[in-house]
């Protein structure tokens, strides 16, 4: 396997998907253990349709959580709303217009959400 610094390997038949930053298998990635991003303590919940073919998504920004906690929170929000979604670059996206339900769920979990 080629692990040179100039390699852009993203998949290997030996280990599967590879992390593009640390060049390790995703299961052994050291990038996931980074500290939580700094936030101002205010969680912003908004609704967006731009660039999604007219489809609406609820976007949650400003959460000062690490990747694992953010994924768990995303799962809880998607379950509460009964819809799909994803976590991209520290931003939670829930399919559909669920701003009020997301805000109520976040308040119940101890966050201070604001409608943006």
């Amino acid at each position: 396997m080629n692990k040179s610094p100039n390699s852009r390997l993203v998949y290997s038949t030996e280990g599967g998907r590879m992390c593009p930053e640390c060049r390790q298998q995703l299961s052994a990635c050291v990038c996931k253990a980074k500290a939580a991003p700094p936030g101002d303590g205010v969680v912003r919940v908004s609704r967006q349709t731009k660039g999604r073919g007219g489809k609406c998504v609820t976007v949650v920004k400003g959460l000062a959580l690490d990747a694992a906690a953010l994924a768990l929170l995303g799962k809880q929000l998607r379950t509460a709303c009964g819809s799909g979604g994803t976590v991209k670059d520290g931003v939670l996206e829930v399919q559909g217009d669920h701003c009020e339900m997301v805000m109520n769920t976040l308040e119940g979990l101890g966050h201070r959400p604001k409608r943006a």
Side-chain angles (χ1 to χ4, degrees):
M1 183 176 350
N2 184 9
K3 288 191 178 184
S4 69
N6 296 329
S7 172
R8 293 189 177 195
L9 181 68
V10 293
Y11 187 84
S12 170
T13 54
E14 293 177 9
R17 296 202 50 84
M18 308 295 281
C19 176
E21 295 176 14
C22 66
R23 294 178 180 77
Q24 300 292 322
Q25 296 177 7
L26 282 183
S27 59
C29 177
V30 295
C31 301
K32 291 189 280 188
K34 290 182 180 174
D40 58 359
V42 178
V43 180
R44 290 174 176 80
V45 180
S46 63
R47 180 181 154 268
Q48 289 184 355
T49 58
K50 194 170 192 174
R52 294 181 170 86
K55 305 276 197 241
C56 175
V57 295
T58 303
V59 178
V60 181
K61 297 179 183 178
L63 291 163
L65 300 173
D66 62 342
L70 199 60
L72 180 64
L73 179 62
K75 171 87 171 137
Q76 291 173 340
L77 291 177
R78 291 190 308 268
T79 302
C81 296
S83 65
T86 187
V87 178
K88 292 182 184 175
D89 300 325
V91 177
L92 287 170
E93 295 180 0
V94 179
Q95 295 174 352
D97 187 5
H98 300 288
C99 290
E100 293 302 319
M101 184 165 299
V102 167
M103 288 182 65
N104 292 337
T105 305
L106 287 172
E107 284 175 357
L109 295 172
H111 297 282
R112 297 182 304 168
K114 281 189 178 179
R115 182 76 185 258

